[in-house]
Amino acid sequence: MKPDILRSWRSNAKEWNTIIENGEIPSRRYTNEAILKVIDKIGPKKLADLGCGEGWLTREMTKVGIEAHGFDATEELIAFAQKKGGEAYHLLDFAHIIQGVQLPNAPFEMAVFNFSLYQKNDVRPLLANTLNSLTPSGVLLIQTLHPNFLLENELEYRSQWISDSWKGLPGNFKDGHAWYARTLEDWVELISNIGHTTFVTKEIHASENKPLSLIIQIYKQNGEV
Ligand SMILES: C[S@@+](CC[C@H](N)C(=O)[O-])C[C@H]1O[C@@H](n2cnc3c(N)ncnc32)[C@H](O)[C@@H]1O
């Protein structure tokens, strides 16, 4: 399956901007707070928000004195972000990072993929090359839907393509794209294969103890990947 992720994001950018502005995704209450807490604990001074969307996380960084740059391949979302904040926003497709292009304005002390990884292939080089745009003590964060998503949706517990990324969200989304859901074991295997890194996983729960998301913190070892 070859999902046309970026075409789908282009078609739905306006709708996405609206539901984020109106706080219409209930789980975001927990997951936004969770990623902000992890960032705060680590305390970077300069951060790259990869797949920044309309830029909420980048703007939050400015509020706490962190120099943040937002990167996204969806021009419409970068335009929304630029209207809402004065941070530096860059139009960038992850494909370029995979090809080995350094992040503009690197090095960063932290890079964050907040719900912006959808692919099955090339995620390892994407993460390894992103780590190469970080300082020697840099940290890479990934927040993704919790693997329990599979069981909750009555699917087999195995990594697999999920056909419609917009399913279950409020809003008038169209032209959904597929995304690759991983089991916890497959996430661990993927990250372990980056080499010269250590990592920690953290499960984020809603108040009623339902697992919502997984945050993976990846640390460079010896400053090299
Ligand atoms: C669910 S949104 C998350 C946005 C933001 N991080 C947030 O927390 O609200 C996923 C984002 O990933 C971006 N994205 C998807 N594939 C991308 C790619 N190949 N290169 C750059 N950005 C990409 C989309 O344009 C979209 O803004």
Side-chain angles (χ1 to χ4, degrees), residues 66-102:
I66 297 172
E67 177 189 338
H69 292 242
F71 298 87
D72 205 287
T74 306
E75 212 169 338
E76 293 81 350
L77 288 172
I78 288 288
F80 282 122
Q82 283 168 333
K83 260 191 216 149
K84 295 188 215 188
E87 297 78 13
Y89 291 98
H90 311 264
L91 192 62
L92 179 88
D93 188 330
F94 298 157
H96 294 291
I97 305 177
I98 293 165
Q99 285 156 13
V101 172
Q102 279 265 308

Side-chain angles (χ1 to χ4, degrees), residues 164-214:
D164 185 358
S165 57
W166 307 110
K167 197 172 157 219
L169 287 181
N172 295 313
F173 291 105
K174 52 186 187 229
D175 185 23
H177 67 77
W179 64 282
Y180 194 71
R182 287 183 169 77
T183 61
L184 184 58
E185 187 175 47
D186 283 354
W187 271 116
V188 168
E189 193 193 343
L190 171 68
I191 308 296
S192 307
N193 281 335
I194 296 175
H196 308 291
T197 54
T198 55
F199 66 94
V200 177
T201 58
K202 191 174 167 59
E203 292 180 316
I204 308 307
H205 298 81
S207 50
E208 67 272 22
N209 246 2
K210 181 182 144 202
L212 289 176
S213 71
L214 183 69

Side-chain angles (χ1 to χ4, degrees), residues 13-220:
K14 197 160 174 271
E15 196 63 21
W16 176 257
N17 183 58
T18 304
I19 68 163
I20 291 295
E21 270 188 357
N22 296 341
E24 288 179 53
I25 307 178
S27 58
R28 284 266 165 159
R29 197 177 121 212
Y30 301 98
T31 60
N32 287 5
E33 191 186 301
I35 196 80
L36 291 175
K37 240 190 203 166
V38 172
I39 295 170
D40 180 55
K41 206 166 167 199
I42 298 170
K45 292 194 194 70
K46 187 176 170 192
L47 176 149
D49 182 7
L50 298 171
C52 63
E54 53 67 64
W56 77 269
L57 180 61
T58 316
R59 290 191 299 281
E60 286 298 319
M61 297 298 95
T62 305
K63 288 182 196 163
V64 294
I66 297 172
E67 177 189 338
H69 292 242
F71 298 87
D72 205 287
T74 306
E75 212 169 338
E76 293 81 350
L77 288 172
I78 288 288
F80 282 122
Q82 283 168 333
K83 260 191 216 149
K84 295 188 215 188
E87 297 78 13
Y89 291 98
H90 311 264
L91 192 62
L92 179 88
D93 188 330
F94 298 157
H96 294 291
I97 305 177
I98 293 165
Q99 285 156 13
V101 172
Q102 279 265 308
L103 286 177
N105 297 92
F108 291 90
E109 291 178 9
M110 180 176 277
V112 184
F113 289 93
N114 197 50
F115 296 110
S116 54
L117 290 181
Y118 298 116
Q119 293 285 5
K120 177 180 183 185
N121 297 324
D122 292 334
V123 178
R124 199 194 72 79
L126 173 61
L127 300 178
N129 290 347
T130 301
L131 283 158
N132 285 330
S133 281
L134 303 187
T135 55
S137 58
V139 186
L140 173 52
L141 300 183
I142 298 168
Q143 180 160 225
T144 182
L145 279 182
H146 194 282
N148 188 55
F149 164 91
L150 292 165
L151 298 176
E152 220 183 305
N153 286 276
E154 294 174 6
L155 295 164
E156 281 178 39
Y157 191 70
R158 60 177 172 81
S159 297
Q160 57 188 288
W161 284 102
I162 306 295
S163 59
D164 185 358
S165 57
W166 307 110
K167 197 172 157 219
L169 287 181
N172 295 313
F173 291 105
K174 52 186 187 229
D175 185 23
H177 67 77
W179 64 282
Y180 194 71
R182 287 183 169 77
T183 61
L184 184 58
E185 187 175 47
D186 283 354
W187 271 116
V188 168
E189 193 193 343
L190 171 68
I191 308 296
S192 307
N193 281 335
I194 296 175
H196 308 291
T197 54
T198 55
F199 66 94
V200 177
T201 58
K202 191 174 167 59
E203 292 180 316
I204 308 307
H205 298 81
S207 50
E208 67 272 22
N209 246 2
K210 181 182 144 202
L212 289 176
S213 71
L214 183 69
I215 295 183
I216 307 172
Q217 307 172 37
I218 307 173
Y219 296 85
K220 276 169 120 168

